[in-house]
Amino acid sequence: MKKLIPSYVRVPLIFAIVFGAMEYFIDSGDQPAFIKYPMVLLFLGVFLFLLIAIEIVVSAVDKVTYHLLTDEQKKQLDEAQSLPFTESAFYQNLLSKLTRSKEIEQEADVMLDHNYDGIRELDNVLPPWWVYLFYGTIIFAGIYLFRYEVLGSDNQAQEFDKEVAEAKIAVDEYNKTAPDMMNRDKVTLLTDASSLAAGKTIFLANCVACHRPDAGGNIGPNLTDEFWINNGGGIKNVFTTITEGGRDGKGMKSWKTDLKPSDIQRVASYVLSLQGSKPVNPKPTEPEAKKWVDETAPKDGAKPAVTDTTKIATKVVAAVK
C-alpha cells in the first residue's frame, strides 16, 4: 500500500527532528550532545531502530490490508503511485531484501505440513534486519569487552570523577577573576595562619603609618585593646569600619576602593588577632572610645567559644609573627 510520504523520507525526517531537538535543549558546550553524552547517542540509536521496526511492521500490515481491499479500492490506491514522493521500486526492493517477506500468493512455498485444527504454519526465515542487528550486538559486545577489560578505558565512575575534577578546575579559574562577593553579612573571622599572614602583609603595606607595625596606635588609635571608637569590635564591625571608613571629616578613610572585600576580611581578622598583645608604649585610649563587649562570648565561667576573638588571639599571633 502506497503512502503519500514514503518511509525513506518519513523516517529520516522524524529522526532529524528528534536529533535537532535534543541538540537544542541539551547544553553540551562546544561539543555535540551525542558525542559528549554517550547516553544521548544510545537513545538516538534505539529511537532509530524503533522507527525502522515500526515502519517494517506497518508495511507488512499494509500488504495484508491491500489484499483485503476490493478491486476498485486497489485501483484507487494504485493511482496514487503517480503522486510525487511515493515509494519507488528501489525502496520496495530494498524493503523486500531486508524483510524477505512473501506475498500472500507465495505462502504455499513456505507452508509446512503441520496442521492444527485447520491452522497451518509458515516456515518463514528470520528477517535479515533482525539477524544483522543480532550480529551487531555481538560485535558491540566484543568491542566493549576489549575496550574496558583489555585496554582499561575509563568506566562511568572514572569518567564522572574526571569531569568533577575538571569542573573544580574551571570553578577555581572562574573565581580568580570573579567579582568578590564578601560583605558584612557573610564575613567570618579567619584564624588560619595563611589568611592571617596575608592580612598582616596588607596591614604592614597600608596601615602602619597611622597604627604602627604593632598596631599600638600613632595617628590612629590603639587596635590591641578592647576600646573602639566607631562601630565596635568583632569581625563584622571591624570589617564595616575598614570598608566604610572612620568618623566623618576625620579619621580613617574608606578602603573599599583600594582593597577587595576578601582582603578587608583578612586584614580585619589579623587586627583582631592582635587583641591583648600589649604593644610597647601604646597610644592612650581616646575619650570617645568605648569598651566593646562581645555579646556572643561565654558567660559564668563557660569555656571560650570560637567567636571569642580575644581568646583566639593568643593561639594565632605566634604563627603570624
Side-chain angles (χ1 to χ4, degrees):
M1 184 180 295
K2 303 296 183 179
K3 295 182 176 63
L4 188 60
I5 301 179
S7 299
Y8 62 83
V9 174
R10 185 168 55 253
V11 170
L13 180 61
I14 296 175
F15 181 80
I17 292 174
V18 173
F19 177 84
M22 297 189 72
E23 288 292 333
Y24 178 80
F25 288 106
I26 297 177
D27 183 11
S28 57
D30 56 348
Q31 288 184 318
F34 72 94
I35 293 179
K36 188 171 183 179
Y37 304 111
M39 290 303 296
V40 174
L41 181 61
L42 178 61
F43 171 82
L44 291 173
V46 173
F47 180 72
L48 180 60
F49 165 74
L50 291 176
L51 279 179
I52 296 175
I54 291 172
E55 289 297 332
I56 291 175
V57 172
V58 170
S59 177
V61 172
D62 284 346
K63 287 183 178 180
V64 175
T65 305
Y66 181 80
H67 287 282
L68 298 177
L69 298 177
T70 63
D71 293 339
E72 182 64 24
Q73 291 173 328
K74 290 180 180 179
K75 181 179 179 181
Q76 293 176 356
L77 287 175
D78 292 338
E79 291 176 354
Q81 296 180 13
S82 60
L83 295 175
F85 304 111
T86 53
E87 296 176 353
S88 63
F90 170 79
Y91 174 76
Q92 290 292 336
N93 292 333
L94 177 63
L95 187 63
S96 177
K97 291 180 180 179
L98 288 176
T99 59
R100 288 187 182 176
S101 59
K102 296 286 186 179
E103 298 292 343
I104 293 180
E105 294 82 358
Q106 299 174 321
E107 286 185 351
D109 299 337
V110 292
M111 189 78 70
L112 296 177
D113 295 332
H114 302 162
N115 189 324
Y116 304 94
D117 295 332
I119 299 174
R120 306 294 295 272
E121 183 180 357
L122 299 179
D123 187 22
N124 280 319
V125 298
L126 287 173
W129 66 268
W130 192 96
V131 176
Y132 298 150
L133 179 64
F134 178 70
Y135 292 155
T137 59
I138 296 176
I139 296 173
F140 174 83
I143 296 175
Y144 186 94
L145 178 67
F146 182 76
R147 177 180 178 182
Y148 291 102
E149 301 299 331
V150 178
L151 299 181
S153 297
D154 294 339
N155 56 32
Q156 288 183 335
Q158 293 170 327
E159 289 178 353
F160 174 78
D161 292 338
K162 285 186 176 181
E163 290 182 1
V164 170
E166 292 174 358
K168 185 178 183 304
I169 294 174
V171 170
D172 293 340
E173 289 297 322
Y174 170 79
N175 289 335
K176 291 180 181 178
T177 58
D180 199 323
M181 304 303 292
M182 183 59 64
N183 55 41
R184 175 185 170 88
D185 296 329
K186 296 181 180 179
V187 69
T188 56
L189 179 67
L190 303 175
T191 58
D192 60 286
S194 60
S195 297
L196 294 177
K200 179 180 180 180
T201 301
I202 299 170
F203 183 88
L204 295 177
N206 299 282
C207 309
V208 295
C210 296
H211 297 285
R212 291 181 8 191
D214 60 3
N218 187 9
I219 301 174
N222 176 16
L223 301 178
T224 66
D225 59 18
E226 54 189 354
F227 294 92
W228 299 85
I229 298 174
N230 296 296
N231 301 293
I235 184 62
K236 294 185 181 297
N237 294 326
V238 176
F239 179 88
T240 301
T241 300
I242 299 173
T243 302
E244 303 299 336
R247 294 162 289 179
D248 293 338
K250 60 179 180 177
M252 183 178 65
K253 71 167 190 172
S254 170
W255 287 92
K256 61 185 177 183
T257 58
D258 300 274
L259 299 175
K260 296 190 301 183
S262 56
D263 287 337
I264 295 178
Q265 179 190 25
R266 295 184 183 97
V267 71
S269 297
Y270 172 72
V271 168
L272 291 174
S273 74
L274 300 178
Q275 290 283 286
S277 58
K278 298 180 179 180
V280 179
N281 298 322
K283 183 179 180 179
T285 302
E286 299 191 20
E288 60 266 46
K290 297 180 181 180
K291 184 177 181 179
W292 183 80
V293 178
D294 186 0
E295 298 297 336
T296 63
K299 298 177 177 61
D300 301 328
K303 293 183 179 180
V306 175
T307 55
D308 189 352
T309 56
T310 303
K311 303 299 182 181
I312 296 174
T314 57
K315 299 179 182 180
V316 296
V317 170
V320 177
K321 291 186 176 181

